[in-house]
Amino acid sequence: FACRSPACYRLAGPCGPFRVFRNQLPRRNDTYPEEPPPEEPPPGPGPAPPKRLGSGAALCRVCGCLGPRCCGRCRRAAYCGPEHQALDWRSGHRRSCGQRAAGDDSTDAIPEHNEFLFPEYEILIEPEEPEFPADGTDDEQGAVDTSKDVKEQEELGAAGIAGDALQSLDEETLEAMAKHETAEEKIFRMFKNQVAAEPEQIIRYCRGGERPLWVSGENRPEEKDIPNCVCGAKRIFEFQIMPQLLNHLHVDSLGESIDWGTLVVYTCADSCGGGNEYLEEFIWKQDYSMGCT
């Protein structure tokens, strides 16, 4: 969860206005089957999806949480509390409340509430493939070297070196420039090279394995900075949220919205259970270094 207000972002401290919660179900539960569904659909035509759910928990039209409160006029719109009921009323429910014709569900359409909710998407999860095959041929390796040269030219061009000047640089000059690369620039270059393989990636997941992919050598948490879980177990790195997500959330206006280099989430190493409760975990925000462009 995050506030999208820049003012909140500036006042929230070094880790930003971010909160992360965990909730997990046992293998046997009342919501999902014990065995996962087959990856391949069964032969034959599938059943037609229902137009509306015939039953289920009432959810708030604004935030999607449980909605024990309902509109006193139409008795159909559910809300988690009076604040979201008032917000939805001002956003359009007052015009559609009580106007539903027989068999017409259009007036039950849920507004987007873009003033504070982020847009929703489906996240596709795939294993990260190596950038190049281990048994690459000499020709493939040659293609790799060419792409690296192009990347170096682009980086030098971004630093303000004109194309003609770049072509005039000899190998010794380029090597000398590489030796003067600062440690911070090297970390950021490694980050960009890794991200370039999957430029649309918004989440990197690796529980208990590799370390996060940092964008900077600054503002990294030490072990003492990551608090233990409420059960007493240590928290370990589970996943990180990449800066590409900002584009999809439409909050990528420099200086006018929230921002991050990467958001790193640490969760309980023992995966302790909280029943039906949500347990708060730990999130660390790392910004881009001032020396990175």
Side-chain angles (χ1 to χ4, degrees):
F1 294 86
C3 178
R4 64 190 304 162
S5 169
C8 182
Y9 172 79
R10 289 190 291 267
L11 297 175
C15 289
F18 301 99
R19 305 274 302 271
V20 58
F21 299 87
R22 171 174 58 88
N23 177 258
Q24 58 198 46
L25 295 173
R27 190 179 182 96
R28 291 186 177 183
N29 61 82
D30 297 332
T31 306
Y32 301 103
E34 183 176 349
E35 297 297 331
E39 295 184 2
E40 297 294 332
K51 293 183 178 180
R52 289 179 61 91
L53 292 176
S55 61
L59 303 180
C60 176
R61 281 167 49 93
V62 176
C63 65
C65 295
L66 287 177
R69 186 186 184 97
C70 68
C71 175
R73 184 179 179 186
C74 66
R75 311 297 297 180
R76 293 192 309 272
Y79 303 99
C80 61
E83 294 84 1
H84 284 183
Q85 183 176 2
L87 176 65
D88 190 48
W89 181 261
R90 294 193 302 268
S91 299
H93 183 62
R94 73 170 112 190
R95 294 188 296 271
S96 61
C97 183
Q99 298 179 2
R100 178 184 177 189
D104 180 16
D105 296 334
S106 60
T107 54
D108 285 339
I110 299 177
E112 294 183 353
H113 296 296
N114 289 328
E115 63 270 23
F116 74 98
L117 290 184
F118 297 122
E120 295 185 7
Y121 299 93
E122 178 184 6
I123 300 177
L124 301 180
I125 301 177
E126 298 176 347
E128 187 175 49
E129 300 293 339
E131 186 175 359
F132 307 108
D135 57 347
T137 62
D138 293 340
D139 292 339
E140 291 172 338
Q141 208 56 43
V144 172
D145 294 338
T146 302
S147 65
K148 287 182 178 179
D149 292 341
V150 172
K151 288 180 181 178
E152 289 179 358
Q153 292 179 10
E154 291 177 350
E155 291 174 0
L156 290 171
I161 301 177
D164 294 340
L166 178 62
Q167 293 178 0
S168 65
L169 293 176
D170 56 22
E171 185 175 348
E172 293 182 358
T173 304
L174 291 173
E175 185 176 353
M177 293 176 63
K179 288 182 179 179
H180 285 84
E181 183 182 42
T182 66
E184 190 65 27
E185 291 171 341
K186 183 177 180 180
I187 293 172
F188 185 62
R189 177 172 56 80
M190 293 173 61
F191 175 83
K192 291 198 301 180
N193 291 343
Q194 183 71 37
V195 170
E198 294 290 344
E200 295 297 320
Q201 186 181 65
I202 61 170
I203 290 179
R204 294 180 61 88
Y205 181 92
C206 187
R207 178 172 170 80
E210 300 178 4
R211 295 183 178 181
L213 182 62
W214 298 108
V215 301
S216 170
E218 304 173 357
N219 191 30
R220 294 189 186 184
E222 299 180 5
E223 187 174 355
K224 62 180 178 63
D225 297 321
I226 304 172
N228 291 341
C229 179
V230 292
C231 72
K234 288 187 176 181
R235 286 191 172 99
I236 59 175
F237 166 60
E238 180 159 346
F239 67 93
Q240 65 184 113
I241 302 174
M242 308 297 284
Q244 289 86 331
L245 182 61
L246 293 166
N247 298 326
H248 299 288
L249 299 183
H250 310 305
V251 290
D252 55 348
S253 299
L254 187 62
E256 299 179 0
S257 61
I258 61 176
D259 190 20
W260 64 76
T262 186
L263 301 174
V264 185
V265 176
Y266 297 85
T267 60
C268 176
D270 292 343
S271 297
C272 65
N276 294 326
E277 298 179 349
Y278 281 84
L279 302 175
E280 185 166 6
E281 295 288 13
F282 183 73
I283 187 169
W284 184 273
K285 181 178 71 71
Q286 186 189 47
D287 292 321
Y288 292 101
S289 168
M290 295 298 293
C292 298
T293 57

